[in-house]
Amino acid sequence: MPEDIEEKEESLFEAPPMAEQERMCEAILFASAEPVSVKELNDRMPHGCDAAEALVHLRKRYEGRGVHVTKVGDAWAMRTAPDLGFLMQKEMVETRKLSRAAIETLAIIAYHQPVTRAEIEEIRGVSVSRGTVDQLLEMEWIRFGRRKMTPGRPVTFVVTPQFLDEFGLESARDLPGLKELRAAGLLENRPPPGSMPKLGESEDAEEEASEGQSELFED
């Protein structure tokens, strides 16, 4: 009997037309500085709305426009079309430079997540300073993941939705492959294996050997 009452109560609320639901999603995404999840959209919209379906229609409607409806991890946002990004260069310039150590650490986390500090050091062949990790955490490009089920239960690191949003990625699966990285020059000018610092040596030695490399990435 209670279920029948609940069904009757729900039937009293008629969902707005899908076109109106699209407009609501559009308004919320346009006004939000951060990507918005489907759950958050449904919570803000009237009873009976289906934000997931509205987003499908909205995304299609924005195809070919100067602004796209983009999925960022598990959330959605309105972003400038990739081919028009050059128009925003002046507005988007930030003095945020990463050292070579930070670039390599970030890349390892992105491609191998979830990954522990020990695994990062094993891949890089040099110890990772606390300052490097702290910088990436402060920028909110990485976060702590689940502890690994190995002796000592070491914590792992993963990239964040902010990192995906910064580089226009829907998920970590959209990261470029080795061919694209070489084409971008990010795998060039690497010192031969024999000249790389040994595990346990400081990153300062590596940074001195690669002075100027810190400007590879500048957003």
Side-chain angles (χ1 to χ4, degrees):
M1 188 69 175
E3 292 182 359
D4 294 338
I5 295 175
E6 183 177 349
E7 289 179 1
K8 289 180 181 178
E9 289 177 350
E10 290 183 354
S11 66
L12 295 176
F13 297 91
E14 184 175 350
M18 185 52 63
E20 187 66 17
Q21 294 183 42
E22 283 185 56
R23 293 182 65 240
M24 293 177 186
C25 287
E26 182 180 28
I28 294 172
L29 295 182
F30 179 79
S32 178
E34 302 293 336
V36 185
S37 69
V38 173
K39 182 182 183 305
E40 290 173 319
L41 287 169
N42 278 325
D43 289 343
R44 297 190 197 183
M45 294 163 66
H47 179 85
C49 287
D50 187 345
E53 184 179 352
L55 285 168
V56 172
H57 295 289
L58 186 63
R59 188 178 197 179
K60 188 172 183 179
R61 186 153 60 87
Y62 269 88
E63 288 179 356
R65 303 290 297 272
V67 174
H68 288 177
V69 177
T70 306
K71 190 174 184 184
V72 181
D74 294 326
W76 293 81
M78 299 186 77
R79 294 290 182 260
T80 303
D83 61 316
L84 299 180
F86 70 95
L87 297 172
M88 305 295 116
Q89 286 180 351
K90 288 185 178 180
E91 288 77 6
M92 295 178 64
V93 169
E94 291 183 27
T95 56
R96 179 183 291 178
K97 297 181 181 179
L98 292 180
S99 65
R100 176 171 176 167
I103 292 171
E104 292 184 350
T105 299
L106 178 62
I108 291 170
I109 293 172
Y111 281 95
H112 297 272
Q113 64 176 341
V115 60
T116 66
R117 181 190 292 267
E119 290 168 339
I120 296 171
E121 293 177 340
E122 182 179 356
I123 294 170
R124 288 194 63 220
V126 61
S127 62
V128 179
S129 73
R130 181 173 179 178
T132 296
V133 174
D134 286 346
Q135 181 186 12
L136 295 174
L137 288 170
E138 184 179 342
M139 293 171 67
E140 296 185 345
W141 281 5
I142 67 171
R143 64 175 177 80
F144 293 112
R146 291 180 294 182
R147 290 186 177 274
K148 196 165 186 179
M149 300 301 290
T150 56
R153 300 285 307 280
V155 70
T156 61
F157 297 97
V158 297
V159 295
T160 64
Q162 288 90 332
F163 166 81
L164 299 176
D165 193 20
E166 182 76 20
F167 292 96
L169 303 172
E170 182 173 325
S171 71
R173 291 189 297 272
D174 298 320
L175 286 163
L178 293 177
K179 184 181 295 185
E180 288 84 356
L181 291 175
R182 288 194 180 97
L186 300 180
L187 293 184
E188 296 178 356
N189 302 321
R190 295 282 296 170
S195 65
M196 288 291 288
K198 303 298 182 183
L199 184 62
E201 292 183 5
S202 69
E203 289 176 336
D204 294 336
E206 183 183 0
E207 290 301 324
E208 290 175 3
S210 60
E211 186 176 357
Q213 295 287 333
S214 62
E215 295 190 15
L216 279 175
F217 279 21
E218 182 177 347
D219 349 308

